């Protein structure tokens, strides 16, 4: 915050922040007649899209007082954006401006009375945000053209004039104004500390005295000042003779301890080279984590080719520091052995022995022990480093240790983060800074032929070094690939040495990207041309200069005349023919780009749409990949780096959803996310996917979803099972040996099927009172419990290898829906049905629909599968090798004895025993399940839990409600949202919850989905509302529980059951058919009002619903399946609530259908998504009735004759038009097309039919319902279920 004073003497407290899209109206309101004279005509939205930095000053009421937009090339189109540096050197003397240290003002506006003060504050804020920025330039027209002196400008006190060279055309063209850093935010003077500085330092020391006293003792400042010598140095930075910052340095570094706790091979072990060093080529990491490996080729760490610079791998350069208000206090004494826990991004989960290099050279590093600086000058902390290296001239590296939980500072953004080893004795992060990083001669230019040798040296140790070098060579020789695709190559150099290389090409799949990824969260496509989008092929940068990555990217965009860059990360399993076209080299820029969320896609019914289907490049299947993106306005924005160690146990849907939310959170970058899973990340092995049909599918995540998330690029994976939780030491023990430290532990293991054993002493003639218990001994080799695709794959392999040599039957035992999917999977493997016995336990049917249940029973009988209902396992017998050879079951009708070749058990689903023991031993409250509150807290503040693993505390008095009753993906999102407030400083605290709300269970809204293949090859899908399942006989009661609509028959394989609540909204769907089901489409129907679904109840009463499958494949429904449809619903709801539309309000004919406030959002929605929804007629003519409603008929523009394929008298009525000839409706094929006949019916000229209405529909009121049918003039879907038509 700062205070600005107006020329009237009034003061205002202002805050500088980055400009947001909603600021545009406030910015335009600040325009004055002089604005256009100074900057030219401006489209503010377009300017914000191109700005590298845009700042807005707001007052306490969040009103815009001033705005400035900065770009990396001159305003007024003085010269080409790639050529401005030589242009400035030719025309101006004493010019030290470079692309690294210079930005140009393209717009500045401010409230008139505060303009002078706002200009100073906004420029000062720019220098604070960008430490490398040294000059801000502004070209303005000469005084003769302006009509007033430059001294009268609002920014006159901030800028000074730069004089052009004699004879330059700029003498008469434009005037160049310059603002150097020294004017607004000068660099700090750093010198050796003295005892006389004690009083000044205590002013910034006192607020943190308690923390520092606990760490270093009561008289630490005096001790540090008195101990100065060869090993210990102290420095202060001062402003006007007053010390405002303090740094303590030490040349003694415990190198052996750091080598033990961190992977320092790339830094040469922090030692100087020695002839007797024993080194090793960098190995492939066992777990992908914060290293900058971003593709399926698993590259080796990126080397540094320079002989003078240390080799640093492609590790994440994100850093943190402890910022304490109002000063900065950083704890970093590397001589002290820290706590027993530390982050472990790289864990050797394979168990191979690690080779540890031996370094015999002397120490090459010094450390920063303590840093304390006033908050006002915190952004200039980097000024200390020049002095620090000067007092240790024989050391090339500066190191710093910081705790995991401390927030970020600008100092550590210039450091490289070292990769920790496991186990680590230090609970801190290590950062390294090389002396060469102080060089400011970082220059980016297009590659030349003479650079090829330097590029080859830089990339010689990379796995794809030949491809990088060849692509660079292609650019220098031909400027395009063999297929004609233009290629660009850029090099970064420091002191005439190549330290980076980048290869880009034009992005040709931009429409596919726009349709399949939420890229419009980052850019507005209307302001970008096709050629503005670039594809990042290779990016290699010496990590010594890692803090220049964003400037390297900025220069690539400027020199290449691009506005956006895209980088795909393909899944690891891509091999063979896909390897070459899809694989790119590792990019050390990955963590400086933003991951882009994938979009849910419409499953288009191609046969029904015909020529109205979207273009093939949008709907065709392509190899899925994770997309990363940056653009001009993002490239200089730094995310807040979070080093807090968050460990997630269990790769369940809840755990994956939790990680997905953190990864795609726009303002944060989590460096220490770890997943502990028995089989690693799901979706990594597509070969296992075909075995997934053994189990029912929740449809939360598919293999395509995992490929588009690329969790392995952001999450460390530890393969193993949690066996213990050490709460005091704050680490998890994996597989009884590997400690994984945490700051926050998230338990999402869920429940799993457990091996069971027959009840001890059970009598086969009696039915046991309860289910069998967990098997405690060695599980028989032919006893299978399936919990994931890996288990299914192993079971299928065992059957293929051993079934032919085994005697007996395959027994499938249990009472969940998985027994049916498993039987169908066994039949699909070619196993004869007569070898399969399905033994169902006691309890209610696992298929809630009677018709489906009956048809499944018939299909089992047709396949020869023996079904034994209401049986409970009593005992079994084992052979000499421990295999189960026979099993006996008891029932009310008598015992059942079966010979056993394989035993599949789905009878006992509960907490895994190792998990239960770990929770109990850790003294976490377990009451059948892990007890949590409504905010996912356990009785340990550092441990959260969610999913079927948990239950709510008994104080809620709802033991029947657990997370098992809700959508797992929604649970994972809410869990992440509850934790993000701990890390995101921009999240606003919600209003105070109502009193007593802490005793209420939260409400979740998303539907639960179950899908799979049942016996007979039937595809089954059940979508239900969250909460306790309602029995079918109660749900179907029309008195209290709504209406049921059923078409088809289960026996014919076209069964579709849709249930409407008493509010006429869809609350459950059951599908049972032979054809593949568009699951994502049907999920969109949940919660929608029947009026929105083309007046479903009316059509049912009129006998127009012979088949719901074909009904929901009709073109009118495609808009509902679009992922942006929910935004349209929200907009319409807001309009309805704000305008309070009266249901009985009479509308003028020219305004039909519906009020313009409701019609326009629908038309805008259809126009915006025309590419995905081409089946709707063009919407531009629909604006004509409102524009010409009051004009004479002769003044109205003629209606263009629409194309016709056939006359309406030649069979067009069968395809969607009931108007008699001659009719001008657009009949392009397919029922459900929109009729545009302006002179028929009650529609006005060019008005479209409402969403959910077809031209082929008969007039309303034919029959079928007691109430009168809705008016045909209803213009839009009714998202609230309100009766908006006239009755």
């Amino acid at each position: 915050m700062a205070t600005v004073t107006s020329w009237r003497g009034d003061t205002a407290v202002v805050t500088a922040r980055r400009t947001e899209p909603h600021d545009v109206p406030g910015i335009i309101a600040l325009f004055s007649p002089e604005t256009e004279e100074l900057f030219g005509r401006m489209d503010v939205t377009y300017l914000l899209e191109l700005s590298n930095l845009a700042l807005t000053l707001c007052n306490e009421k969040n009103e815009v007082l001033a705005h400035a937009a900065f770009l990396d090339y001159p305003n007024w189109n003085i010269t080409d954006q790639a050529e401005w540096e030589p242009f400035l050197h030719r025309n101006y003397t004493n010019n030290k401006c470079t692309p690294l240290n210079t930005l140009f003002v393209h717009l500045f506006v401010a409230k008139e009375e505060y303009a002078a003060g706002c200009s100073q504050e906004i420029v000062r804020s720019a220098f604070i945000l960008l430490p490398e920025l040294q000059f801000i330039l502004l070209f303005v027209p000469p005084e003769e053209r302006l009509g007033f002196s430059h001294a009268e400008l609002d920014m006159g006190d901030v800028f000074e004039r730069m004089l052009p060279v004699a004879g330059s055309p700029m003498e008469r063209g434009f005037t160049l104004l310059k603002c150097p850093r020294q004017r607004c935010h000068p660099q700090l003077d750093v010198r050796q500390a003295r005892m006389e500085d004690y009083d000044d330092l205590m002013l910034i020391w006192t607020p943190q005295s308690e923390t520092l006293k606990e760490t270093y003792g009561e008289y630490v400042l005096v001790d540090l000042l008195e101990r100065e010598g060869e090993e210990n140095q102290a420095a202060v930075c001062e402003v006007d003779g007053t010390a405002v910052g303090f740094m303590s340095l030490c040349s003694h570094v415990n190198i052996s301890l750091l080598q033990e706790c961190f992977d320092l091979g790339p830094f040469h072990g922090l030692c100087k080279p020695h002839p007797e060093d024993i080194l090793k080529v960098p190995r492939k990491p066992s777990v992908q984590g914060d290293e900058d490996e971003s593709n399926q080729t698993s590259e080796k760490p990126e080397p540094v080719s320079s002989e003078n610079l240390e080799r640093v791998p492609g590790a994440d350069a994100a850093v943190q520091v402890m910022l304490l208000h109002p000063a900065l206090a950083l704890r970093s004494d590397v001589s002290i052995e820290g706590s027993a826990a530390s982050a472990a991004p790289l864990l050797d989960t394979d168990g191979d022995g690690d080779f540890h290099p031996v370094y015999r050279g002397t120490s090459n590093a010094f450390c920063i022990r303590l840093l304390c600086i006033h908050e006002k000058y915190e952004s200039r902390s980097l000024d200390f480093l020049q002095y620090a290296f000067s007092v240790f001239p024989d050391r090339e590296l500066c190191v710093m240790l910081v705790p995991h939980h401390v927030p970020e500072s600008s100092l550590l953004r210039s450091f490289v983060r070292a990769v920790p080893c496991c186990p680590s004795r230090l609970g801190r992060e290590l950062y390294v800074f090389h002396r060469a990083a102080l060089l400011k001669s970082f220059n980016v230019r297009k590659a030349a032929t003479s650079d090829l040798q330097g590029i080859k040296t830089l990339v010689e140790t990379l796995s794809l070094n030949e491809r990088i070098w060849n692509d660079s060579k292609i650019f220098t020789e031909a400027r395009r690939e063999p297929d004609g695709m233009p290629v660009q190559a850029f090099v970064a150099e420091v002191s005439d040495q190549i330290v980076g290389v980048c290869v880009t090409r034009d992005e040709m799949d931009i429409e596919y990207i726009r349709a399949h990824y939420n890229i419009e969260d980052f850019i507005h496509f209307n302001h970008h041309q096709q050629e503005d989008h670039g594809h990042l092929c290779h990016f290699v940068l010496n990590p010594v200069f890692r803090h220049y990555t964003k400037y390297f990217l900025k220069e690539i965009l400027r020199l290449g005349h691009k506005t956006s860059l895209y980088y795909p990360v393909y899944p690891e399993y891509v091999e063979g023919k896909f390897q070459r076209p899809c694989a790119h080299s590792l990019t050390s820029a990955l963590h400086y780009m933003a991951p882009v969320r994938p979009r849910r896609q419409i499953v288009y019914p191609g046969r029904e749409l015909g020529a109205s289907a979207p273009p093939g490049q949008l709907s065709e299947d392509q190899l899925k990949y994770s997309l990363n993106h940056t653009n001009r306005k993002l490239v200089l924005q730094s995310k807040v780096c979070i080093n807090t160690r968050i460990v997630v146990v269990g790769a369940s849907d809840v755990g994956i959803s939790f990680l997905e939310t953190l990864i795609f959170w726009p303002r944060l970058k989590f460096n220490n996310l770890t997943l502990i899973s028995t089989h690693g990340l799901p979706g990594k092995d597509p070969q296992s996917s075909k075995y997934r049909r053994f189990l029912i599918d929740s449809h939360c995540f598919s293999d395509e979803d995992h490929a588009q998330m690329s969790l392995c690029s952001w999450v460390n994976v530890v393969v193993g099972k949690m066996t213990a939780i050490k709460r005091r030491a704050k680490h998890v023990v994996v597989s009884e040996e590997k400690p994984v430290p945490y700051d926050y532990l998230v338990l999402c293991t869920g429940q799993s099927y457990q091996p069971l054993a027959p009840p001890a002493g059970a009598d086969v003639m009696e039915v046991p009172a309860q289910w069998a218990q967990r098997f405690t001994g060695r599980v028989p080799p032919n006893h299978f419990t399936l919990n994931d695709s890996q288990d299914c794959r192993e079971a299928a392999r065992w059957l293929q290898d051993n079934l032919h040599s085994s005697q007996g039957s395959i027994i499938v035992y249990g009472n969940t829906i998985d027994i049916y999917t498993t039987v169908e999977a066994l039949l699909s493997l070619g196993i004869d049905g007569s070898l399969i016995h399905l033994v169902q336990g006691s309890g209610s049917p696992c298929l809630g629909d009677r018709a489906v249940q009956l048809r499944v029973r018939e299909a089992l009988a047709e396949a020869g599968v023996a079904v034994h209902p209401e049986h409970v396992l009593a005992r079994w017998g084992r052979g000499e090798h421990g295999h189960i050879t026979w099993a006996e079951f008891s029932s009310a009708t008598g015992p059942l004895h079966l010979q056993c070749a394989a035993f599949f058990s789905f009878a006992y689903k509960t907490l895994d025993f190792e998990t239960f023991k770990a929770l109990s031993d850790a003294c976490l409250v377990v009451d059948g399940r892990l007890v949590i509150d409504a905010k996912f807290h356990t009785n340990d503040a550092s441990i959260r839990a969610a999913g079927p693993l948990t239950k709510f505390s008994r104080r809620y008095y709802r033991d029947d409600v657990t997370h098992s009753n809700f959508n797992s993906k929604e649970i994972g999102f809410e869990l992440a949202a509850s934790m993000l407030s701990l890390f995101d400083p921009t999240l606003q605290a919600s209003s105070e919850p109502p009193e007593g709300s802490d005793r209420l269970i939260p409400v979740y809204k998303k539907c639960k989905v179950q899908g799979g293949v049942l016996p007979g090859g039937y595809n089954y899908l059940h979508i239900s509302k969250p909460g306790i399942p309602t029995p079918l006989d109660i749900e179907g009661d029309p008195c209290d529980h709504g209406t049921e609509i059923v078409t088809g028959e289960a026996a014919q394989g076209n069964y579709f059951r849709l249930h409407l609540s008493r509010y006429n909204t869809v609350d459950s769907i059951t599908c049972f058919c032979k054809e593949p089901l568009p699951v994502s489409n049907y999920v969109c129907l949940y919660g929608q009002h029947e009026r929105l679904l083309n007046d479903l109840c009316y059509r049912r009463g009129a006998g127009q619903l012979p088949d719901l499958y074909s009904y929901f494949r009709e073109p009118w429904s495609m808009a509902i399946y679009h992922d942006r449809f929910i935004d349209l619903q929200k907009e319409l709801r807001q309009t309805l609530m704000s305008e309070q539309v009266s249901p009985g309000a009479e509308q003028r004919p020219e305004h039909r259908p519906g009020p313009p406030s409701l019609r326009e959002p629908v038309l805008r929605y259809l126009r915006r998504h025309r590419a995905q929804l081409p089946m709707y007629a063009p919407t531009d003519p629909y604006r004509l009735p409102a524009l010409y409603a009051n004009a004479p008929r002769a003044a109205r523009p003629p209606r263009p004759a629409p194309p016709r394929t056939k006359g309406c008298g030649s069979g067009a009525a069968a395809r969607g038009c009931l108007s008699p000839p001659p009719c001008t409706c657009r009949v392009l094929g397919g029922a459900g097309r929109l009729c545009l006949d302006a002179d028929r019916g009650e529609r006005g000229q060019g008005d479209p039919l409402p969403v959910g209405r077809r031209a082929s529909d008969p007039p309303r009121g034919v029959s079928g319902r007691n109430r009168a049918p809705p008016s045909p003039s209803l213009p839009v879907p009714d998202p609230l279920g309100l009766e908006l038509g006239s009755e």
Side-chain angles (χ1 to χ4, degrees), residues 1036-1262:
D1037 183 2
C1039 297
D1040 298 318
H1041 294 85
T1043 307
E1044 181 178 272
I1045 302 177
V1046 178
T1047 63
E1049 296 180 4
Q1052 297 179 2
N1054 61 350
Y1055 180 81
F1056 196 119
R1057 174 183 171 273
L1058 184 144
H1059 185 268
L1060 301 174
S1061 71
R1062 55 181 173 175
Y1063 304 108
N1064 283 342
T1065 59
V1066 178
D1067 66 359
S1068 77
I1069 298 173
T1070 302
C1071 299
F1072 185 78
C1073 70
K1074 288 281 189 178
E1075 300 296 326
L1077 296 170
V1079 178
S1080 60
N1081 287 2
Y1082 292 161
V1083 170
C1084 297
L1085 301 177
Y1086 174 80
Q1088 304 293 359
H1089 196 273
E1090 60 90 11
R1091 293 285 300 276
L1092 180 62
L1093 304 180
N1094 213 347
D1095 283 312
L1096 188 64
C1097 291
Y1098 166 75
R1099 296 182 182 282
R1100 179 202 182 198
Q1104 300 176 13
L1105 286 181
D1107 180 19
L1108 283 173
Y1109 288 106
S1110 60
Y1111 182 76
F1112 288 120
R1113 286 197 299 265
E1114 292 179 0
W1116 63 264
S1117 62
M1118 296 300 110
I1120 300 175
Y1121 304 147
H1122 197 278
D1123 64 331
R1124 297 289 191 267
F1125 186 71
I1126 187 174
D1127 298 331
L1128 172 64
Q1129 288 182 290
K1130 292 178 180 178
E1131 183 177 0
L1132 294 175
R1133 182 179 291 111
Q1134 291 175 356
T1135 303
L1136 289 170
M1137 301 301 290
S1138 61
E1139 297 190 2
Q1140 298 181 356
V1141 178
S1142 173
E1146 185 176 351
Q1147 301 174 12
R1148 297 173 59 185
E1150 61 269 19
H1151 285 171
R1152 290 183 177 179
S1157 60
L1158 296 181
R1159 178 179 53 189
E1160 286 303 316
V1162 178
L1163 302 182
R1164 186 166 57 248
Y1165 166 79
L1166 294 175
R1167 284 194 296 269
R1168 184 178 303 163
H1169 306 295
R1170 177 71 180 162
Q1172 290 84 29
L1173 301 173
M1175 65 288 305
Y1176 290 85
T1179 57
D1180 293 339
Y1182 301 163
R1183 298 175 59 89
L1184 297 178
L1187 295 176
Y1188 296 94
N1190 300 318
R1193 189 170 186 84
R1196 302 183 185 182
R1199 181 179 64 243
R1204 300 177 60 188
T1205 57
K1206 291 184 180 180
C1208 292
S1210 57
R1215 298 191 308 279
C1217 178
L1218 297 180
S1219 302
C1223 175
T1224 58
C1225 74
R1226 186 169 303 178
V1227 181
L1228 299 180
R1233 295 294 305 178
L1234 298 180
C1235 179
L1236 301 185
D1237 183 11
D1239 301 319
R1240 309 296 176 187
E1242 296 184 313
R1243 296 187 300 280
Q1245 177 183 353
D1247 289 345
L1249 284 171
V1251 175
R1253 288 284 293 156
R1254 301 178 301 177
S1256 59
D1257 294 344
R1260 298 296 187 94
V1262 212

Side-chain angles (χ1 to χ4, degrees), residues 756-759 762-766 768 772 811 813 839 871-877 884-891 894-900 903:
L756 58 85
D763 186 351
V764 73
M765 301 302 296
E766 298 180 0
I811 300 174
Y813 175 54
V839 183
H871 281 71
V872 178
L873 178 66
R875 59 187 178 182
W876 65 37
I884 301 175
T885 56
W886 57 267
E888 286 190 351
F889 302 84
S890 58
S891 70
L896 173 67
H897 181 92
L898 297 174
Q899 297 297 316
C900 180
F903 193 99

Side-chain angles (χ1 to χ4, degrees), residues 102-280:
T102 305
L103 286 179
F104 295 83
V105 179
H106 279 236
L107 176 66
F108 173 78
V109 290
K111 201 170 182 178
E112 183 179 0
E113 58 265 32
Y114 293 102
C118 287
S119 64
Q120 295 180 5
E121 179 59 25
I122 215 164
V123 169
R124 189 182 73 88
S125 300
F127 283 120
I128 291 176
L129 284 174
L130 303 177
E132 305 296 336
L133 184 63
Q134 298 296 327
F135 301 100
I136 295 178
L137 304 184
L138 169 62
F139 280 97
V140 295
E143 295 178 350
E144 308 85 59
R145 287 169 53 187
L146 290 177
F148 54 86
S149 170
H150 293 150
E152 300 177 26
L153 292 175
D154 296 332
M155 300 172 290
D157 295 337
V158 180
F159 288 84
E160 61 187 29
R161 183 176 179 181
M162 288 184 64
L163 298 177
V165 298
S168 169
M170 301 307 294
E171 286 184 315
R172 297 183 179 179
F174 287 88
T175 300
L176 178 58
L177 304 180
K178 177 182 71 173
C179 176
R181 171 179 285 274
Q182 289 298 117
R183 277 198 169 209
C184 300
H185 196 65
Q187 293 184 354
L188 302 178
D189 296 326
V190 182
R191 58 170 174 80
Q192 185 177 4
R194 300 186 293 263
M195 188 60 70
E196 291 80 358
D197 299 318
Y198 180 84
D199 292 338
D200 292 338
L201 294 176
M202 285 304 297
L203 296 177
I204 57 176
W205 194 273
T206 302
Q208 308 302 328
S209 58
E210 292 301 323
T211 303
L212 296 170
K213 186 186 300 183
E214 294 176 4
T215 307
Y216 295 102
E218 186 172 0
Y219 305 103
V220 56
L221 181 57
V222 176
D223 292 341
L224 293 175
L225 291 173
E226 289 180 343
R227 289 182 181 178
E228 291 190 79
E230 282 190 22
E231 287 191 358
N232 301 293
Q233 294 285 339
V236 295
C237 59
E238 60 180 6
V239 175
D240 297 331
T242 301
V244 295
F246 175 80
M247 177 180 283
S248 174
L249 308 169
C250 180
S251 62
H252 176 69
V253 179
N254 193 335
I255 298 295
S256 60
L257 175 62
L258 296 182
Q259 290 175 353
E260 177 184 346
C261 298
F262 298 92
D263 180 14
L264 298 178
F267 303 96
H268 203 78
L270 303 181
C271 297
K272 296 181 179 180
H274 192 277
E276 298 181 7
D277 289 339
I278 303 175
L279 307 176
K280 180 189 176 183

Side-chain angles (χ1 to χ4, degrees), residues 579-834:
Q579 188 74 17
R580 289 188 177 180
C582 300
H584 295 313
S585 64
L586 86 167
T587 169
S588 51
L590 180 65
H591 289 283
Y592 291 86
M593 305 180 78
V596 186
R597 278 186 179 272
R599 292 178 61 177
R600 177 175 48 79
Q601 297 299 302
I602 301 174
V603 181
Y604 293 100
R607 182 175 58 187
E608 285 78 2
L609 294 181
S612 299
Q617 64 266 28
L618 298 184
S619 58
E620 66 183 6
D621 289 334
Q622 294 189 16
L623 188 64
K624 303 301 180 182
Y625 55 83
S626 169
L627 184 67
N628 300 275
H629 166 77
T630 191
N631 56 54
R632 295 185 62 88
K633 62 183 179 181
L634 291 180
V635 71
L636 293 184
Q637 289 188 22
S638 297
K639 289 187 175 183
V640 178
C641 295
I642 306 299
N643 277 345
T644 303
R645 297 165 297 183
I646 301 176
V647 176
V648 180
V649 182
S652 62
D653 290 337
V654 174
I656 298 300
S657 177
F658 172 81
L659 292 171
E660 176 194 30
T661 306
L662 296 187
I663 288 170
F664 288 105
W665 198 253
R667 293 177 292 273
L668 305 180
K669 182 163 72 71
F670 292 87
N671 293 328
N672 281 326
L673 294 177
T674 302
L675 173 67
I676 300 174
S677 174
T678 306
H679 297 129
L681 281 172
K684 65 180 180 181
D685 184 7
Q687 298 300 322
S688 298
S689 299
K690 62 182 180 181
Y691 300 108
R692 192 173 298 159
R693 63 186 302 173
F694 273 89
L695 299 173
I696 204 72
D697 191 355
S698 67
H699 289 284
C700 287
F701 298 99
S702 63
D703 286 343
E704 293 182 352
D705 296 328
H706 290 295
Q708 292 177 315
M709 286 189 293
S710 186
L711 289 179
C712 60
S713 299
W714 312 99
V715 179
N716 313 309
V717 182
V718 180
V719 178
K721 181 177 287 188
M722 178 185 70
T723 55
I725 302 175
K726 305 298 182 182
R727 290 171 56 189
R728 186 179 297 274
K730 298 193 76 169
H731 70 254
V732 174
V733 179
V734 178
S735 301
E736 300 183 352
E737 54 181 21
K738 295 183 181 298
V740 179
Y742 68 85
D743 294 311
Y744 287 99
L745 179 64
V746 180
L747 302 174
C748 303
T749 57
Q751 293 184 325
S752 57
Y753 292 111
Q754 301 297 313
L756 58 85
D763 186 351
V764 73
M765 301 302 296
E766 298 180 0
V767 180
Q770 57 185 1
W771 286 100
Q773 300 300 307
R774 185 183 67 90
F775 192 83
T776 57
R778 183 178 179 182
V779 179
N782 62 340
H783 183 288
F784 301 102
T785 53
L786 308 181
N787 293 297
D788 54 32
S789 58
Q790 187 71 20
D791 294 339
C792 299
R793 182 179 183 180
E794 293 174 359
R797 285 181 174 178
W798 188 94
L799 291 173
Q800 293 170 357
D801 296 339
N802 300 282
L803 186 60
H804 64 279
S805 61
S806 302
Q807 296 182 356
S809 304
I810 299 177
I811 300 174
V812 180
Y813 175 54
N815 197 37
T816 65
I817 193 173
D818 293 313
I819 62 177
Y820 294 121
T821 55
T822 297
V823 169
E824 170 59 23
L826 294 174
L827 293 173
S828 68
L829 293 177
I831 300 174
D832 190 84
S834 61

Side-chain angles (χ1 to χ4, degrees), residues 985-1002:
T986 63
L987 284 180
Q988 297 181 354
S990 58
S991 57
E992 286 295 326
E995 184 179 356
S997 61
D998 58 334
R999 297 191 295 272
L1000 299 177
I1001 292 177

